[in-house]
Amino acid sequence: MKTLYIECNMGAAGDMLLSALLELVPDPDGFIERLNGLGLPGVTFKKSQQIHCGITGTHVSVTVNGQEEASADVPHGHDHPHEHDQGSHSHGHEHAHEHTHGHDHNHPHAHSHSHAHADHRHHSVADIARIIDGLPVPDAVRADARAVYGLIAEAEAQAHGRPVGEVHFHEVGALDAVADVVGVSLLMDALAPDRVVVSPIHVGSGQVKCAHGILPVPAPATAHILRGMPTYGGWVRGELCTPTGAALLRHFATDTGPMPVMTVRAVGYGMGTKEFGAANCVRVFLGEDGHEHGPNGTVSELSCNIDDMTGEALGYVSELLFAEGALDVFTIPIQMKKSRPGILLTCLCADGDADRFARLLLTHTTTFGVRRTEYSHSRYTLHRHFEKAETPYGVITVKTGEGYGVKKTKPEFGDVARAAREHGVPVSAVYDALKDQKERKQT
């Protein structure tokens, strides 16, 4: 299975992701020509080589009518809005402005961009959607780009307490972000990975200056987008993950975590332009995952002996453990000390969840102790994904597992049972309908 792993040890920004992925395609220069031929108004893409900590990688700069979006981190010890350009880590924020009345463009207006002059033109979310819809790209790329920019707009609206329709973006920042989003979406379409795994994301620390003032890192919009994804701060003073980078990662990621077992075919380095004590880059790995070569996961086994709980109570505990994410729960009748009949309750869970499930067992059963095996069981698992199948009895979820040269599918029985119950037919009729739908799809 083709797997793309995105390493975010120095955060992520739209231009850095674009640059890293560009190194994975056969003809990077040709791809830059394609981007410049899209007709994004006033936008120019330019590829160059950069070196950080002795590592050479690609940097793609995006200019809008000759201007380039720049970051404005607040230097350590500064607590006043002092413009201090440290060199772009990426392109800065798509600074959102809530327009609820006429905007006077003749008054001084704070920018966090390091431009020689201020450009006060703005784009609404609807303007951005019209630009994306007018691009000569495949429908799937257009849908991805709109979804990513939708995440940015929703996050900015939430941060500023305004409806999405009232959020406006500076022209340079807006088109810069659209360029990065469309470019990454095109590259993802060209690379066509089956699985995208994103590492924990380093967001940086300190403060960043934007049009609204000085904000904490990660900026509120970035923090909103990254909810539910593993993130961390660190010693680096500055904004490492931008809203555009966060939205791209969130949209395309199918998994998060450390690098999976995989056979790497290509590696790409997307460089920022700020200098830190560590290589300022996003690194990407493209290859085949390790499903064909040995175990691809580990589990922990927790167990306890119980002789003083009813069957109903044990059934409740099993349902609770499954609801909390246990991989499996089962019971075995045993004979305990003093010849008492009892139950061996076993819970399988991910290694990192063992402590949590041990507490659940201690809380919800009568046991005074939970055993955890001194080793973690390796396991072979098929990579799973879910699809929706249309039938005369409604939509049925179908689970597909792939790996080790095996591919198998299985309808979710809960959906099958629900459809049979709602339409007053046997479950076999629903299975037959699924089989007919699959055969029509294959022909």
Side-chain angles (χ1 to χ4, degrees), residues 9-46:
N9 291 342
M10 292 297 285
D15 61 334
M16 295 171 74
L17 288 167
L18 172 63
S19 303
L21 295 174
L22 187 68
E23 291 204 337
L24 302 181
V25 298
D27 183 13
D29 291 327
F31 200 91
I32 289 292
E33 290 182 11
R34 181 182 179 188
L35 292 177
N36 282 321
L38 292 177
L40 279 166
V43 172
T44 301
F45 295 83
K46 184 178 180 181

Short mmCIF file of all heavy atoms in Angstrom, two decimals, residues 9-46:
data_model
loop_
_atom_site.label_atom_id
_atom_site.label_comp_id
_atom_site.label_asym_id
_atom_site.label_seq_id
_atom_site.Cartn_x
_atom_site.Cartn_y
_atom_site.Cartn_z
N ASN A 9 8.80 17.85 12.45
CA ASN A 9 9.66 18.20 13.58
C ASN A 9 9.88 19.70 13.71
O ASN A 9 10.22 20.19 14.78
CB ASN A 9 11.02 17.51 13.45
CG ASN A 9 10.93 16.01 13.63
OD1 ASN A 9 9.94 15.50 14.16
ND2 ASN A 9 11.93 15.29 13.17
N MET A 10 9.72 20.43 12.59
CA MET A 10 9.82 21.88 12.62
C MET A 10 8.52 22.49 12.10
O MET A 10 8.50 23.49 11.37
CB MET A 10 11.01 22.36 11.79
CG MET A 10 12.35 21.99 12.38
SD MET A 10 12.65 22.73 14.00
CE MET A 10 13.00 24.43 13.53
N GLY A 11 7.41 21.87 12.50
CA GLY A 11 6.11 22.39 12.13
C GLY A 11 5.77 22.12 10.68
O GLY A 11 6.31 21.21 10.05
N ALA A 12 4.89 22.93 10.14
CA ALA A 12 4.47 22.79 8.75
C ALA A 12 3.83 24.09 8.30
O ALA A 12 3.11 24.74 9.06
CB ALA A 12 3.49 21.63 8.58
N ALA A 13 4.11 24.46 7.08
CA ALA A 13 3.47 25.60 6.45
C ALA A 13 3.17 25.21 5.02
O ALA A 13 3.75 24.26 4.48
CB ALA A 13 4.39 26.83 6.50
N GLY A 14 2.26 25.94 4.40
CA GLY A 14 1.83 25.57 3.05
C GLY A 14 2.96 25.48 2.06
O GLY A 14 3.07 24.51 1.30
N ASP A 15 3.86 26.47 2.07
CA ASP A 15 4.95 26.47 1.09
C ASP A 15 5.95 25.35 1.37
O ASP A 15 6.52 24.77 0.45
CB ASP A 15 5.64 27.83 1.06
CG ASP A 15 6.28 28.23 2.38
OD1 ASP A 15 5.82 27.74 3.43
OD2 ASP A 15 7.23 29.02 2.36
N MET A 16 6.14 25.01 2.65
CA MET A 16 7.08 23.94 2.98
C MET A 16 6.53 22.58 2.57
O MET A 16 7.27 21.73 2.06
CB MET A 16 7.40 23.98 4.47
CG MET A 16 8.13 25.25 4.91
SD MET A 16 8.26 25.41 6.71
CE MET A 16 9.53 24.19 7.04
N LEU A 17 5.23 22.37 2.77
CA LEU A 17 4.61 21.12 2.31
C LEU A 17 4.66 21.02 0.79
O LEU A 17 4.97 19.96 0.23
CB LEU A 17 3.17 21.04 2.81
CG LEU A 17 3.01 20.78 4.32
CD1 LEU A 17 1.57 21.05 4.74
CD2 LEU A 17 3.40 19.35 4.66
N LEU A 18 4.35 22.13 0.12
CA LEU A 18 4.41 22.16 -1.34
C LEU A 18 5.83 21.83 -1.81
O LEU A 18 6.02 21.01 -2.73
CB LEU A 18 4.00 23.55 -1.83
CG LEU A 18 4.17 23.88 -3.31
CD1 LEU A 18 3.29 22.97 -4.16
CD2 LEU A 18 3.82 25.34 -3.58
N SER A 19 6.81 22.41 -1.18
CA SER A 19 8.21 22.20 -1.58
C SER A 19 8.65 20.76 -1.35
O SER A 19 9.34 20.16 -2.18
CB SER A 19 9.11 23.15 -0.80
OG SER A 19 8.73 24.50 -0.99
N ALA A 20 8.26 20.19 -0.21
CA ALA A 20 8.66 18.82 0.10
C ALA A 20 8.04 17.83 -0.88
O ALA A 20 8.72 16.93 -1.41
CB ALA A 20 8.26 18.47 1.53
N LEU A 21 6.75 17.97 -1.12
CA LEU A 21 6.06 17.05 -2.04
C LEU A 21 6.56 17.20 -3.47
O LEU A 21 6.58 16.23 -4.24
CB LEU A 21 4.55 17.30 -1.99
CG LEU A 21 3.87 16.98 -0.64
CD1 LEU A 21 2.41 17.42 -0.67
CD2 LEU A 21 3.97 15.50 -0.32
N LEU A 22 6.98 18.42 -3.82
CA LEU A 22 7.50 18.65 -5.17
C LEU A 22 8.72 17.78 -5.45
O LEU A 22 8.94 17.36 -6.59
CB LEU A 22 7.85 20.13 -5.34
CG LEU A 22 8.25 20.59 -6.74
CD1 LEU A 22 7.05 20.50 -7.69
CD2 LEU A 22 8.77 22.03 -6.70
N GLU A 23 9.52 17.50 -4.42
CA GLU A 23 10.72 16.68 -4.61
C GLU A 23 10.38 15.21 -4.90
O GLU A 23 11.25 14.44 -5.28
CB GLU A 23 11.64 16.77 -3.39
CG GLU A 23 12.29 18.14 -3.23
CD GLU A 23 13.58 18.06 -2.41
OE1 GLU A 23 13.75 17.12 -1.63
OE2 GLU A 23 14.43 18.97 -2.59
N LEU A 24 9.13 14.81 -4.71
CA LEU A 24 8.74 13.42 -4.93
C LEU A 24 8.24 13.15 -6.34
O LEU A 24 8.12 11.99 -6.73
CB LEU A 24 7.64 13.02 -3.93
CG LEU A 24 7.98 13.16 -2.44
CD1 LEU A 24 6.80 12.69 -1.60
CD2 LEU A 24 9.23 12.37 -2.08
N VAL A 25 7.92 14.20 -7.10
CA VAL A 25 7.40 13.98 -8.46
C VAL A 25 8.56 13.89 -9.45
O VAL A 25 9.65 14.44 -9.21
CB VAL A 25 6.43 15.11 -8.87
CG1 VAL A 25 5.21 15.13 -7.95
CG2 VAL A 25 7.12 16.47 -8.88
N PRO A 26 8.37 13.19 -10.57
CA PRO A 26 9.47 12.97 -11.52
C PRO A 26 10.02 14.24 -12.16
O PRO A 26 11.21 14.32 -12.45
CB PRO A 26 8.83 12.06 -12.58
CG PRO A 26 7.65 11.44 -11.91
CD PRO A 26 7.15 12.45 -10.94
N ASP A 27 9.17 15.24 -12.40
CA ASP A 27 9.60 16.45 -13.12
C ASP A 27 9.19 17.69 -12.33
O ASP A 27 8.19 18.34 -12.64
CB ASP A 27 8.98 16.47 -14.51
CG ASP A 27 9.43 17.67 -15.34
OD1 ASP A 27 10.41 18.34 -14.95
OD2 ASP A 27 8.79 17.93 -16.38
N PRO A 28 9.97 18.07 -11.30
CA PRO A 28 9.59 19.23 -10.49
C PRO A 28 9.49 20.52 -11.28
O PRO A 28 8.57 21.32 -11.06
CB PRO A 28 10.71 19.30 -9.45
CG PRO A 28 11.27 17.91 -9.39
CD PRO A 28 11.17 17.39 -10.78
N ASP A 29 10.43 20.73 -12.20
CA ASP A 29 10.39 21.98 -12.98
C ASP A 29 9.14 22.03 -13.85
O ASP A 29 8.50 23.09 -13.98
CB ASP A 29 11.64 22.08 -13.87
CG ASP A 29 12.90 22.32 -13.05
OD1 ASP A 29 12.81 22.99 -12.00
OD2 ASP A 29 13.97 21.82 -13.44
N GLY A 30 8.78 20.90 -14.44
CA GLY A 30 7.56 20.86 -15.23
C GLY A 30 6.33 21.12 -14.39
O GLY A 30 5.36 21.74 -14.86
N PHE A 31 6.36 20.65 -13.15
CA PHE A 31 5.21 20.87 -12.27
C PHE A 31 5.09 22.35 -11.91
O PHE A 31 3.97 22.88 -11.83
CB PHE A 31 5.33 20.01 -11.01
CG PHE A 31 4.02 19.79 -10.31
CD1 PHE A 31 3.24 18.69 -10.61
CD2 PHE A 31 3.57 20.70 -9.36
CE1 PHE A 31 2.03 18.49 -9.98
CE2 PHE A 31 2.36 20.51 -8.72
CZ PHE A 31 1.58 19.39 -9.03
N ILE A 32 6.23 23.02 -11.71
CA ILE A 32 6.19 24.46 -11.43
C ILE A 32 5.58 25.20 -12.63
O ILE A 32 4.78 26.14 -12.47
CB ILE A 32 7.60 25.00 -11.11
CG1 ILE A 32 8.06 24.49 -9.74
CG2 ILE A 32 7.63 26.52 -11.15
CD1 ILE A 32 7.28 25.04 -8.57
N GLU A 33 5.94 24.79 -13.85
CA GLU A 33 5.35 25.41 -15.04
C GLU A 33 3.84 25.20 -15.06
O GLU A 33 3.07 26.10 -15.43
CB GLU A 33 5.98 24.80 -16.30
CG GLU A 33 7.42 25.21 -16.53
CD GLU A 33 7.97 24.61 -17.81
OE1 GLU A 33 7.18 24.08 -18.61
OE2 GLU A 33 9.20 24.68 -18.00
N ARG A 34 3.41 24.00 -14.65
CA ARG A 34 1.98 23.73 -14.61
C ARG A 34 1.29 24.65 -13.60
O ARG A 34 0.20 25.18 -13.88
CB ARG A 34 1.74 22.27 -14.23
CG ARG A 34 0.27 21.87 -14.17
CD ARG A 34 0.10 20.42 -13.74
NE ARG A 34 -1.29 20.05 -13.65
CZ ARG A 34 -1.73 18.89 -13.15
NH1 ARG A 34 -0.86 17.99 -12.71
NH2 ARG A 34 -3.04 18.63 -13.11
N LEU A 35 1.92 24.85 -12.42
CA LEU A 35 1.33 25.73 -11.43
C LEU A 35 1.24 27.16 -11.95
O LEU A 35 0.24 27.85 -11.73
CB LEU A 35 2.16 25.69 -10.14
CG LEU A 35 2.15 24.38 -9.33
CD1 LEU A 35 3.08 24.48 -8.14
CD2 LEU A 35 0.74 24.03 -8.88
N ASN A 36 2.29 27.62 -12.61
CA ASN A 36 2.27 28.98 -13.14
C ASN A 36 1.27 29.13 -14.28
O ASN A 36 0.88 30.26 -14.62
CB ASN A 36 3.67 29.38 -13.61
CG ASN A 36 4.58 29.78 -12.45
OD1 ASN A 36 4.14 30.42 -11.50
ND2 ASN A 36 5.84 29.38 -12.52
N GLY A 37 0.85 28.02 -14.87
CA GLY A 37 -0.13 28.07 -15.95
C GLY A 37 -1.57 27.96 -15.49
O GLY A 37 -2.49 27.95 -16.33
N LEU A 38 -1.79 27.86 -14.19
CA LEU A 38 -3.16 27.72 -13.68
C LEU A 38 -3.98 28.99 -13.83
O LEU A 38 -5.21 28.94 -13.85
CB LEU A 38 -3.13 27.32 -12.19
CG LEU A 38 -2.62 25.92 -11.86
CD1 LEU A 38 -2.59 25.72 -10.35
CD2 LEU A 38 -3.49 24.86 -12.53
N GLY A 39 -3.31 30.14 -13.89
CA GLY A 39 -4.05 31.39 -14.04
C GLY A 39 -4.50 32.00 -12.72
O GLY A 39 -5.43 32.80 -12.72
N LEU A 40 -3.85 31.63 -11.61
CA LEU A 40 -4.16 32.31 -10.35
C LEU A 40 -3.78 33.78 -10.49
O LEU A 40 -2.64 34.09 -10.86
CB LEU A 40 -3.38 31.67 -9.20
CG LEU A 40 -3.96 30.39 -8.61
CD1 LEU A 40 -2.93 29.69 -7.72
CD2 LEU A 40 -5.21 30.68 -7.82
N PRO A 41 -4.69 34.70 -10.22
CA PRO A 41 -4.45 36.11 -10.53
C PRO A 41 -3.23 36.69 -9.83
O PRO A 41 -3.18 36.75 -8.60
CB PRO A 41 -5.75 36.80 -10.07
CG PRO A 41 -6.41 35.82 -9.15
CD PRO A 41 -6.01 34.47 -9.62
N GLY A 42 -2.25 37.12 -10.64
CA GLY A 42 -1.06 37.77 -10.11
C GLY A 42 -0.08 36.87 -9.42
O GLY A 42 0.93 37.34 -8.89
N VAL A 43 -0.31 35.54 -9.40
CA VAL A 43 0.51 34.61 -8.62
C VAL A 43 1.64 34.03 -9.47
O VAL A 43 1.41 33.61 -10.61
CB VAL A 43 -0.34 33.46 -8.04
CG1 VAL A 43 0.54 32.40 -7.40
CG2 VAL A 43 -1.33 34.02 -7.02
N THR A 44 2.84 34.00 -8.90
CA THR A 44 3.99 33.39 -9.56
C THR A 44 4.68 32.44 -8.59
O THR A 44 4.97 32.79 -7.44
CB THR A 44 5.01 34.46 -10.01
OG1 THR A 44 4.37 35.37 -10.91
CG2 THR A 44 6.19 33.81 -10.71
N PHE A 45 4.93 31.21 -9.06
CA PHE A 45 5.67 30.21 -8.29
C PHE A 45 7.11 30.19 -8.78
O PHE A 45 7.36 30.23 -9.98
CB PHE A 45 5.08 28.81 -8.50
CG PHE A 45 3.67 28.63 -7.99
CD1 PHE A 45 2.59 29.02 -8.76
CD2 PHE A 45 3.43 28.06 -6.75
CE1 PHE A 45 1.29 28.84 -8.32
CE2 PHE A 45 2.14 27.88 -6.29
CZ PHE A 45 1.07 28.27 -7.08
N LYS A 46 8.06 30.10 -7.84
CA LYS A 46 9.47 30.01 -8.21
C LYS A 46 10.16 29.01 -7.30
O LYS A 46 10.05 29.09 -6.08
CB LYS A 46 10.15 31.38 -8.10
CG LYS A 46 11.61 31.37 -8.56
CD LYS A 46 12.22 32.76 -8.48
CE LYS A 46 13.67 32.75 -8.94
NZ LYS A 46 14.29 34.10 -8.84
#
